[in-house]
Amino acid sequence: MDRFFVELENIDMENKSLNIYGEDVKHISKVLRYSIGDKIEICDGHNKEYICEITDISKETVNLDILEEVKIKRESKIKVKLYQGLPKSTKMDIILQKLTECGVSEIILVSTKRSVVNLDDKKADKKFERWERIVYEAAKQSKRGQVPKLRGVLSFAEALKDMEENDINISPYEAEKSLGIKEVLSSERVKKIVDSKDEVSIGIFIGPEGGFSESENTKIKDSGIDSVSMGPRIFRTETASIVASSITLYELGDIGGM
């Protein structure tokens, strides 16, 4: 069953009805060719979801009746915030899509020393709109309970400052030899943090093509962020983001569970 997200203000629980507006209207009526009486899944973006029946379709609106509330926990208590050093735009597409599928809560774009992309131009807004749409479509496809946030672009210094708000922070670095990602995530320190909170934020800082410079990695360590190895092989930036997030959500979250 196809899934769509709606804003809370478009849900009328008193009358057990809701409305869909915007681009999803065309997708429902013209692409998927749904009609009156068909059923779809609706999520409010705050972990509540419903089975609904279409009662009317117009050019601007799809009206639905709420048939039942679905009680399924889609989101993990582990809130992964992925800080991504800006890669080339073609790589960003796959990063956004797959991180959403993995269960990442927030994706923050960061300009680093080796970033080759400049978003400070007239096309920046259009790129962000497109990227937000990729995240949204991936959230629908993977049946997320929330649409991950996308924000940035932060400077390297701003990213380090932003990470101070997280409970745990790690940064995969290809030249790291002394500390592995599994060692950190399975440590007593991390276990105590996870066990003591209803919600835990974990920042993962990934470099762009070419990775972090030595000076950047030094600053990362000086900021109290664990510089970690992900093993003997070198990952591309888009692979590193997906692998690091998956390892984290497997070790501490809900990937691999029921």
Side-chain angles (χ1 to χ4, degrees), residues 9-256:
E9 58 264 29
N10 296 331
I11 301 175
D12 182 355
M13 288 307 298
E14 184 177 347
N15 294 304
K16 297 290 183 180
S17 64
L18 56 85
N19 301 315
I20 295 176
Y21 301 98
E23 291 185 29
D24 282 339
V25 173
K26 182 178 179 181
H27 191 206
I28 289 170
S29 61
K30 302 297 183 183
V31 179
L32 297 175
R33 297 189 178 278
Y34 276 114
S35 58
I36 293 173
D38 288 336
K39 296 179 178 61
I40 58 177
E41 289 181 353
I42 298 294
C43 184
D44 66 0
H46 297 270
N47 292 317
K48 285 190 176 181
E49 53 191 83
Y50 311 92
I51 303 298
C52 298
E53 181 179 311
I54 298 173
T55 58
D56 187 57
I57 300 177
S58 68
K59 287 185 178 180
E60 293 80 22
T61 314
V62 176
N63 306 111
L64 305 101
D65 282 343
I66 297 173
L67 303 181
E68 64 175 301
E69 181 176 346
V70 180
K71 298 185 181 299
I72 300 176
K73 189 176 183 297
R74 306 278 186 184
E75 300 297 315
S76 172
K77 67 175 279 186
I78 306 300
K79 305 301 177 185
V80 173
K81 296 170 65 178
L82 197 290
Y83 297 78
Q84 175 65 54
L86 274 174
K88 295 177 182 177
S89 59
T90 53
K91 294 185 177 182
M92 181 58 75
D93 292 358
I94 194 71
I95 288 170
L96 296 173
Q97 183 185 72
K98 298 311 176 185
L99 289 183
T100 300
E101 292 178 24
C102 287
V104 167
S105 297
E106 191 169 349
I107 303 161
I108 304 99
L109 308 182
V110 185
S111 178
T112 68
K113 185 175 182 179
R114 292 174 177 165
S115 293
V116 296
V117 175
N118 179 17
L119 288 184
D120 296 328
D121 55 31
K122 295 179 181 179
K123 297 180 180 179
D125 289 342
K126 287 187 177 180
K127 284 184 179 179
F128 262 86
E129 286 178 12
R130 180 169 166 277
W131 287 340
E132 286 175 335
R133 193 68 195 177
I134 290 172
V135 170
Y136 177 73
E137 292 297 333
K140 290 196 302 182
Q141 180 274 321
S142 57
K143 295 188 181 293
R144 291 286 301 267
Q146 295 176 335
V147 179
K149 295 179 183 178
L150 175 64
R151 62 185 177 92
V153 176
L154 275 59
S155 68
F156 182 80
E158 288 171 336
L160 293 182
K161 182 67 176 177
D162 194 86
M163 294 180 80
E164 292 177 5
E165 303 298 321
N166 301 329
D167 298 303
I168 303 161
N169 287 302
I170 60 175
S171 179
Y173 183 54
E174 64 271 17
E176 181 62 48
K177 303 298 182 184
S178 61
L179 190 63
I181 186 171
K182 183 177 178 64
E183 183 181 349
V184 172
L185 296 176
S186 62
S187 67
E188 283 300 315
R189 173 178 64 88
V190 169
K191 188 176 185 301
K192 285 180 181 178
I193 293 172
V194 173
D195 290 345
S196 65
K197 293 194 170 189
D198 293 330
E199 189 172 289
V200 179
S201 61
I202 297 186
I204 303 176
F205 202 173
I206 301 290
E209 292 99 337
F212 293 116
S213 66
E214 283 191 35
S215 62
E216 284 175 330
N217 194 58
T218 298
K219 290 177 182 177
I220 286 171
K221 289 183 175 182
D222 290 344
S223 297
I225 298 168
D226 287 318
S227 176
V228 298
S229 168
M230 291 203 294
R233 291 168 294 281
I234 304 300
F235 296 109
R236 293 178 182 270
T237 182
E238 65 272 29
T239 311
S241 297
I242 298 164
V243 170
S245 300
S246 300
I247 290 173
T248 300
L249 285 167
Y250 175 79
E251 288 290 335
L252 304 177
D254 53 3
I255 288 181

